[in-house]
Amino acid sequence: MMISRLCNSAIARTTVNSLFAHVAVLLLGFILFLQPAHACSEKSLDAIFSPERSTQRLLDIEAAMARAQAKHGVIPKSAADEITRKARADLVPQSELRAERDIVRHRMVALLNIWRKSLNEEGGRYVHFGATTVDIYDTATMLQIDQVLAELNICLTETIGTMAVMALEHRDTVMIGRTIGQHAQPISFGKKVSVWIGEFRRHQDRLGEIRQRVRRSAILKGAVGNYSGLGNKAIAVEKSFAAELGFDEPYLSDWHGTRDVIAEYALFLGLMSKSHARMGQEIFLLQSTDIAEVRESLPASAVGSSSMPHKQNPIAPEALVQSGRVIPRLAEILQDDVINLFERDNISRQSPVITEISIATGSMMRTLNKLLEGLSVNATNMRSNIDRTNGFVMSQKIVFALAAHVGKTKAEAIVKDIIYHHRTGSRSFAEALRADHRIADILSRSQIEQLLDPAKIDLESQWQIERIAAGAE
């Protein structure tokens, strides 16, 4: 559907006079066509939090620690090889793990008790050697968040790509710009979308910055974070441990009692949710009956009302607004976890919250992508809404045209006087201007018509949209 829309837009539309815009629309469409289908998918994100994947992640961490320790002579290499060979989730069945945890009431001990049954004597002796539970689970959390951020980046890339296509497609689709709830000046719908692009590009920048800190947060520092019990090569082992997991050199300082990076992740998701909610609210309003400038794509089977068959209620925009309320509340819980007790106490039970906020964010982003992909734009209604003020929204252009002759202060005074006397009457702005000698002595009829034509998009505005869309890729 998107490719067809793009081709029709680029080839058939006569209002676009820029060859760059034609080529860019087709190029962006081709790029989107080459992307894997359903790249921003529910399955890929949900899988990160599955019990089997979580168990495998813990085993991978234990194996990475063993290899790092063997590299520095802390444990035998043969033991590390055995631990790595047996780091398989199928050797720790979920049913047995749950049963063992009910007995010992400790998640790490339960896992080790089950897993050791498959290890040989040497592997069983050196697995989890010198480690503490919080190091393993903290590292697992950071691996998890890193994987989530990678998935969310795919979603963001899809969102920005769709926006870029839409911005170029509607570079010259004029609509009224609104400020403080009032008609202000005409803009193009492409300009509105270009604002969304800039906002979401900044989110993508933030994601990359946060991910850098996440990828420095593998941790292997012992019970109170001072490497006690990990030997005289503990710092080197931790560095090798992070490398084994594909992470960057870890922070030397202990962060378990602060958890600021986790809080930053949550606050980032909260901020993103506000952007989604703002867009949802704007689309909600733009598709209201009285404005009717855009329309959400819904299946024919969708029911708007149980008592009024004519209604087509917004669904995705409403869901986005709700996400902007729920996700920041979850982020507050993880932010509160920064206020912790002493060196390494844990009273937060943060894992369920991380799971919930991550999955909710992925769902929100898919909702927006689907909404944008099917959003229809009613250019006729957009133009009709501009004309509701009978041309008076073009007042600034008249001021600037007059200013070259009488100065800006006097020009503003003249135009305000004309508006004051004619805005509530039957005359259009064009008629009022032509009837006033202060205007007629300076501007011709054709000049007034040109200045009051909202379809004449400023060249700088066109370039703004094109460059933002091009920068999106």
Side-chain angles (χ1 to χ4, degrees):
M1 181 174 123
M2 175 63 76
I3 299 302
S4 172
R5 208 169 100 192
L6 290 169
C7 291
N8 289 338
S9 169
I11 297 170
R13 289 174 76 242
T14 58
T15 57
V16 175
N17 54 24
S18 167
L19 178 61
F20 173 83
H22 286 307
V23 174
V25 169
L26 290 171
L27 180 59
L28 284 172
F30 183 65
I31 291 170
L32 289 177
F33 179 74
L34 290 178
Q35 286 183 344
H38 310 298
C40 177
S41 67
E42 183 177 3
K43 281 186 177 180
S44 57
L45 191 58
D46 288 354
I48 294 172
F49 299 97
S50 70
E52 292 77 14
R53 182 86 167 264
S54 296
T55 297
Q56 184 61 59
R57 189 178 295 111
L58 294 170
L59 299 180
D60 289 341
I61 291 168
E62 290 284 352
M65 179 175 66
R67 291 193 299 274
Q69 289 175 321
K71 179 179 178 179
H72 295 279
V74 178
I75 69 172
K77 183 178 182 302
S78 54
D81 291 342
E82 168 69 5
I83 292 166
T84 299
R85 277 195 303 270
K86 301 290 180 62
R88 303 197 327 259
D90 62 291
L91 298 177
V92 186
Q94 293 301 308
S95 58
E96 292 184 31
L97 184 59
R98 286 192 296 269
E100 185 68 13
R101 189 169 178 177
D102 287 342
I103 295 170
V104 300
R105 302 300 177 93
H106 192 287
R107 54 185 179 174
M108 190 77 245
V109 172
L111 183 142
L112 291 171
N113 286 350
I114 301 298
W115 189 27
R116 275 196 177 102
K117 295 176 184 178
S118 64
L119 297 171
N120 63 22
E121 182 181 353
E122 185 181 45
R125 184 188 317 144
Y126 287 107
V127 71
H128 199 69
F129 188 78
T132 189
T133 297
V134 292
D135 280 346
I136 304 302
Y137 278 92
D138 278 352
T139 300
T141 295
M142 289 306 184
L143 286 173
Q144 198 173 52
I145 289 175
D146 181 62
Q147 291 162 4
V148 171
L149 287 171
E151 292 296 328
L152 296 186
N153 192 48
I154 291 172
C155 295
L156 270 175
T157 299
E158 287 190 15
T159 303
I160 293 167
T162 301
M163 287 176 179
V165 169
M166 189 178 294
L168 290 172
E169 184 181 4
H170 294 285
R171 188 196 69 169
D172 300 317
T173 304
V174 290
M175 65 181 296
I176 192 64
R178 299 170 172 93
T179 60
I180 318 180
Q182 304 296 307
H183 282 204
Q185 294 176 8
I187 59 172
S188 72
F189 186 66
K191 184 270 175 187
K192 181 180 288 293
V193 177
S194 75
V195 173
W196 299 345
I197 293 172
E199 184 176 13
F200 277 68
R201 280 297 305 274
R202 290 189 291 276
H203 284 317
Q204 199 162 42
D205 289 343
R206 292 183 188 104
L207 185 151
E209 291 162 6
I210 292 168
R211 199 174 180 196
Q212 287 178 6
R213 286 184 278 281
V214 168
R215 294 181 65 82
R216 290 195 62 194
S217 297
I219 190 167
L220 193 61
K221 290 179 167 63
V224 291
N226 63 350
Y227 297 104
S228 177
L230 291 167
N232 59 6
K233 296 182 180 178
I235 293 176
V237 168
E238 183 184 45
K239 184 176 178 180
S240 296
F241 165 68
E244 288 283 348
L245 293 169
F247 265 26
D248 300 326
E249 183 173 345
Y251 290 115
L252 192 59
S253 61
D254 181 29
W255 58 260
H256 176 82
T258 62
R259 302 208 258 285
D260 54 288
V261 175
I262 296 173
E264 183 183 19
Y265 164 73
L267 290 170
F268 164 65
L269 300 188
L271 178 59
M272 269 212 310
S273 77
K274 291 299 185 184
S275 294
H276 283 72
R278 185 187 55 74
M279 284 185 60
Q281 178 173 271
E282 185 165 27
I283 293 171
F284 183 103
L285 293 171
L286 290 176
Q287 74 175 54
S288 63
T289 306
D290 298 316
I291 298 177
E293 293 180 349
V294 301
R295 173 60 61 185
E296 173 186 8
S297 176
L298 292 173
S301 58
V303 177
S305 169
S306 62
S307 59
M308 294 171 284
H310 68 280
K311 292 193 72 183
Q312 186 179 358
N313 292 339
I315 295 176
E318 188 178 51
L320 292 173
V321 171
Q322 181 67 8
S323 294
R325 296 172 180 173
V326 172
I327 291 172
R329 303 293 86 77
L330 294 170
E332 285 179 9
I333 297 172
L334 293 173
Q335 186 182 9
D336 287 342
D337 194 36
V338 173
I339 305 170
N340 218 299
L341 303 177
F342 304 116
E343 278 68 39
R344 286 203 152 201
D345 290 332
N346 184 3
I347 57 173
S348 64
R349 297 190 181 272
Q350 64 183 359
S351 294
V353 183
I354 291 173
T355 300
E356 187 176 356
I357 194 172
S358 301
I359 289 177
T361 300
S363 176
M364 172 188 72
M365 296 175 80
R366 289 191 300 274
T367 297
L368 177 61
N369 284 350
K370 186 175 180 181
L371 173 62
L372 292 177
E373 187 73 26
L375 193 70
S376 60
V377 175
N378 191 325
T380 301
N381 283 356
M382 285 181 171
R383 179 55 194 260
S384 296
N385 285 336
I386 293 175
D387 294 337
R388 286 175 67 180
T389 55
N390 222 358
F392 283 89
V393 293
M394 304 302 296
S395 63
Q396 188 190 67
K397 288 209 170 185
I398 299 298
V399 169
F400 286 156
L402 285 179
H405 302 275
V406 300
K408 187 170 183 292
T409 301
K410 187 174 180 180
E412 285 182 340
I414 293 171
V415 173
K416 282 181 180 179
D417 183 60
I418 293 171
I419 291 171
Y420 178 79
H421 286 95
H422 296 282
R423 188 171 189 174
T424 57
S426 58
R427 275 184 169 178
S428 69
F429 193 33
E431 290 169 336
L433 291 171
R434 289 195 297 266
D436 193 296
H437 72 87
R438 294 171 295 180
I439 304 295
D441 290 347
I442 297 173
L443 300 176
S444 68
R445 176 183 289 263
S446 63
Q447 285 177 314
I448 292 172
E449 288 178 358
Q450 290 283 321
L451 291 168
L452 297 187
D453 184 359
K456 293 194 175 300
I457 306 291
D458 291 338
L459 187 60
E460 286 293 312
S461 176
Q462 292 178 332
W463 286 351
Q464 177 190 34
I465 296 164
E466 290 172 1
R467 289 169 182 173
I468 291 171
E473 290 300 325

